Amino acid sequence: MARMGQRRRRFSLAVVFVLAVLGPSVGLSLLALRAASREALFVERRFEGSLLAEVNHAATRIAEVLQVVMEDLAAEAERIDSDVMALARWKKEEPLVGVPFLLQEGRVTIPEAEDDEGATFLVTFGPFLEGRSNLPVYDDIADVYRKQMRADGPGGDGVSAGAVPFPYDTAARRNDGERGQESAAHEETEGSESLLDPAKESLSTAGKTEAPVSGAFAPDPRAKMAAPKGLVQQLVSGFLKSDAAVEEDTYQKAVREGFQMLERNVLPQAALQAPALFMERASPVRSKTVVQGRLFADLRREGRSGILPRLSDEGLELLFWTQGREKDGVTGCTLDMPLLRERFVAALPEILSDVRVLMVLNEAGEPLFVPPGAGGLEWKKPFVAREISSLLPRWEVGAWLVDPGMIASLVRTTNLAVWLLVAVLLVTVATGGTVVLRTLSAEMRLARQKTTFVANVSHELKTPLTSIRLFAEMLLQHRQPDEARRDDYLRTMVSEAERLSRLVDNVLTFSRRDADNPDCIKERLNLADLVRETVEQLRPHLVLHGFSLRVEAPEMLPVQGHAEGLRQVLMNLLSNAEKYSEDRREVTVIVCSEGDEAVVEVADRGIGVPPSQAARIFEEFYRGDDSLTSTRRGTGLELSIARHIARKHGGDVTFRPRDGGGSVFSLRIPTGDDATRKGAGA
């Protein structure tokens, strides 16, 4: 009772200490660290913004390359028009031209010199150009949203116009009514150009960071704006980015309209690390590009020229086409992708600096080339990245940090003053706080272990008792006429009873381990005979469970010890070998002497002990898996008790991994006359 009262007083003092001193100190420390953490995030966001500006600039340069290519090809195609003979000359003079073609009167014509490449072109694009099949056409989700809003607005047939979370501009609506059909036709043409010629859109927006737009200044995509079309898409993209609900609704509508979603090849690390308290970000792996099958005739009605990307197992192909002077004529070609990649790389700003690597990834998430010194980067995990354009689906421009720990270094510098203040506070309460927390933690851990121990012991007691009762009832009721089977039942009952006895012995030994035990009297005995007797006692049980058991022992190895205690150590080690053996059920017991020590090694071919658990396997109650559903039974006391008994004898129980797999547990006790004195001091 006195000891219990003392424990209660200690606990009360610990609670008072935590509430009066440690609690406020930790609270202030957390507030200070929270402020420091926010400052660190602001530093990271500023760095992210700087790199994102470079990424956007690189995307602008790529868009400029595409724009120049389209303009040059369109100018050259005008000179060809319906001249089939000029196709071969066009390919020869323009390196970017892959397979040129003419579409006249619904038939595709290519130069006669084209062989395998031309045949592949006719199979891939011929049915689409001739109107016999469709082709996946890629679009930006912002353009899809604008079309949805036009359909949901006044005069449309949409059903969710009222759900638009920003005000509808009444002046724009009134102006829309005055414009009438002419304005509506102009807007439809504008939307068509967005689909077929997104390079112009990218050229207007790629260099600008898409800042979130919300509230009263949010754009109304249903209004007929006179602003540049690239600015409109930028505002719509920013609005979708700032409102996750509207963005999700837009994607769902797009799916219902037959669009398919693309997935990005990269996981931008800055976007993944952004906490919700700063901003709501769209999913960093969701692509802004969607795809839908379209007929070429529909595209021709909506625009006069464009580039159509096609993704296949061979990679990305780009098909350029432009309307000829004749009503039904179309001139175009595939683009030479290796040469186009070279132009993209040449158009990039400084690729490698002391801080970052700037690179373009293709549709497979691979860099267009690996700059010297950047071979170890994880290309699919850039710090920041963005998609280039719907003309280059799944292509990304990204920035990778040369030193991933650079931001952490900047953060450490920023937080140094805060950490110093926190350190002064923590040093004041560290000693008392550490003692109290360790005491509380140890008590709670011990309580949990004891609770688990009681549950495991109950489980361990119930299992053999159930087996004994079952077989006893079967024998009593004469359900088994076979004499051999009855003998098996009896052997099982004896084995389970021995197992139950060992469990009770372990529990009793554990309960009195800290008390003086006058019955534990050491005497002179032959350790080799004791080992052989113990092994023979357990051999039937082990053989029944498929174990091969081998003993190597000399005729005589005298020691000073307690026979039953040492027998319990050996049984615990053999039981441990049985529990943790799987397919290779081999146990070898070796008895020898090393210097002034007698050594008994129990070697198995079991699953072994992971290095992370090797230091804890001799702790009380410790088990690798202590759940009741574990397939390996036990209480977590066997090895702890074995070591305790060995140390009472002046020795120890140690562990080492076995060559070829398995474990070796060694019992070491002194053979000299001073063994009793060593054990008394253990």
Side-chain angles (χ1 to χ4, degrees), residues 522 560 566 569 596-599 642-654 666-671 674-682:
K522 298 181 178 66
Q560 191 79 13
L566 294 177
V569 172
D596 60 349
E597 287 185 328
V599 181
R643 171 169 278 187
H644 169 73
I645 296 175
R647 288 182 174 177
K648 283 291 184 181
H649 285 74
D652 200 358
V653 174
T654 59
S666 301
L667 165 65
R668 297 175 177 271
I669 57 175
T671 57
D674 59 343
T676 303
R677 293 193 296 273
K678 288 183 179 179

Side-chain angles (χ1 to χ4, degrees), residues 508-525:
L508 292 176
T509 302
F510 172 74
S511 66
R512 60 173 178 256
R513 62 183 302 175
D514 295 327
D516 295 332
N517 187 5
D519 297 331
C520 185
I521 300 174
K522 298 181 178 66
E523 58 184 355
R524 201 72 174 172
L525 55 88

Side-chain angles (χ1 to χ4, degrees), residues 140-163:
D140 192 286
I141 192 64
D143 287 331
V144 175
Y145 178 76
R146 292 168 60 193
K147 294 173 184 177
Q148 291 175 354
M149 290 302 99
R150 283 200 297 269
D152 291 343
D157 57 355
V159 294
S160 59

Side-chain angles (χ1 to χ4, degrees), residues 184-417:
H186 172 73
E187 184 186 24
E188 187 63 33
T189 303
E190 182 185 75
S192 303
E193 292 174 356
S194 172
L195 176 66
L196 298 176
D197 194 3
K200 298 179 180 178
E201 191 103 347
S202 302
L203 184 60
S204 302
T205 62
K208 305 179 180 65
T209 303
E210 295 180 351
V213 181
S214 60
F217 298 97
D220 183 359
R222 295 170 298 181
K224 311 301 188 290
M225 296 183 178
K229 195 159 70 72
L231 177 60
V232 174
Q233 187 186 38
Q234 176 191 351
L235 294 176
V236 173
S237 297
F239 171 71
L240 292 178
K241 188 176 181 180
S242 66
D243 196 318
V246 175
E247 182 188 48
E248 182 63 27
D249 183 64
T250 302
Y251 275 100
Q252 291 179 2
K253 287 183 180 179
V255 171
R256 291 195 295 268
E257 293 172 5
F259 287 94
Q260 295 181 359
M261 305 296 107
L262 271 70
E263 291 186 2
R264 297 179 64 179
N265 288 319
V266 300
L267 291 173
Q269 300 303 296
L272 290 174
Q273 297 167 8
L277 75 96
F278 280 91
M279 63 184 69
E280 281 193 27
R281 294 194 174 205
S283 171
V285 296
R286 172 175 278 180
S287 173
K288 296 190 301 181
T289 304
V290 294
V291 59
Q292 184 182 48
R294 301 286 302 277
L295 292 172
F296 187 55
D298 295 335
L299 303 184
R300 291 183 62 183
R301 284 193 295 269
E302 296 172 354
R304 293 190 55 82
S305 64
I307 286 182
L308 293 173
R310 177 181 178 272
L311 287 174
S312 65
D313 295 338
E314 287 73 25
L316 177 67
E317 299 177 82
L318 295 180
L319 176 73
F320 166 78
W321 66 275
T322 183
Q323 194 86 3
R325 287 190 297 270
E326 296 185 6
K327 182 178 180 181
D328 295 330
V330 172
T331 306
C333 64
T334 59
L335 301 185
D336 187 286
M337 292 305 297
L339 181 58
L340 192 59
R341 292 190 187 99
E342 292 179 5
R343 293 195 181 185
F344 288 158
V345 173
L348 289 175
E350 183 183 10
I351 294 176
L352 182 63
S353 70
D354 296 336
V355 175
R356 56 95 185 116
V357 175
L358 192 67
M359 183 47 60
V360 176
L361 302 182
N362 63 14
E363 67 282 352
E366 300 172 349
L368 297 191
F369 89 102
V370 179
L377 295 178
E378 294 187 68
W379 293 110
K380 294 198 175 184
K381 294 183 178 180
F383 185 71
V384 293
R386 62 156 288 177
E387 296 172 275
I388 298 175
S389 166
S390 56
L391 281 180
L392 299 172
R394 306 194 74 184
W395 280 46
E396 306 252 356
V397 178
W400 291 257
L401 298 180
V402 174
D403 179 13
M406 178 182 60
I407 294 181
S409 177
L410 293 174
V411 169
R412 284 194 298 269
T413 302
T414 305
N415 295 339
L416 181 59

